[in-house]
Amino acid sequence: QLQPVESGGGLVQPEGSLRLSCAASGFTLEGFSVGWFRQAPGKEREAVSCSPTSRIAPIYTDSVKGRFTIIRDNANNTVYLQMNSLKIEDTAIYYCAVSPWVRGCAPRDYDYWGQGTQVTVSP
């Protein structure tokens, strides 16, 4: 099955950093659009960053521009989300999702989802 697996979440202080990983099992991420999404309790799932293809510039939601970076590591069949200058408002479960060609970064357009990894930013 086409199921990505996330890892790397944890507890960090404000202004700290985390690096989340999205690994593929039995398929190559290079052939798919890949996105990172997050959901806080009681709130809607929202897009964080998407990479439509390796040839197209990635997409970032305004609240993370300049702080987060999505990185494709094709040699290791992994996509990372580098998260710097973390804020309390970034606390959420973070999901990696995969799909054939997706133009934008809407959760409803992605087909295959990981189980999520918890990120908590707290003093």
Side-chain angles (χ1 to χ4, degrees):
Q1 186 65 271
L2 298 177
Q3 183 176 9
V5 178
E6 310 97 329
S7 62
L11 174 65
V12 297
Q13 296 186 143
E15 298 301 317
S17 296
L18 280 176
R19 190 178 184 92
L20 305 183
S21 297
C22 176
S25 179
F27 65 99
T28 57
L29 289 171
E30 190 174 8
F32 294 85
S33 294
V34 181
W36 284 98
F37 306 85
R38 66 187 181 188
Q39 187 168 23
K43 296 190 176 182
E44 296 292 313
R45 187 168 299 185
E46 67 170 348
V48 177
S49 180
C50 290
S51 174
T53 76
S54 61
R55 296 180 178 271
I56 298 175
I59 300 163
Y60 298 95
T61 192
D62 286 343
S63 64
V64 309
K65 285 180 179 177
R67 300 189 297 122
F68 293 8
T69 307
I70 189 169
I71 304 162
R72 286 182 179 263
D73 183 352
N74 293 331
N76 290 294
N77 201 26
T78 303
V79 174
Y80 301 103
L81 184 68
Q82 180 65 48
M83 310 165 69
N84 298 327
S85 301
L86 282 160
K87 304 175 179 180
I88 292 173
E89 308 91 82
D90 295 318
T91 296
I93 300 174
Y94 283 71
Y95 298 89
C96 177
V98 173
S99 189
W101 167 250
V102 175
R103 189 180 309 275
C105 199
R108 57 177 166 79
D109 292 333
Y110 276 79
D111 296 323
Y112 308 105
W113 291 77
Q115 77 282 5
T117 185
Q118 176 72 46
V119 172
T120 302
V121 185
S122 174

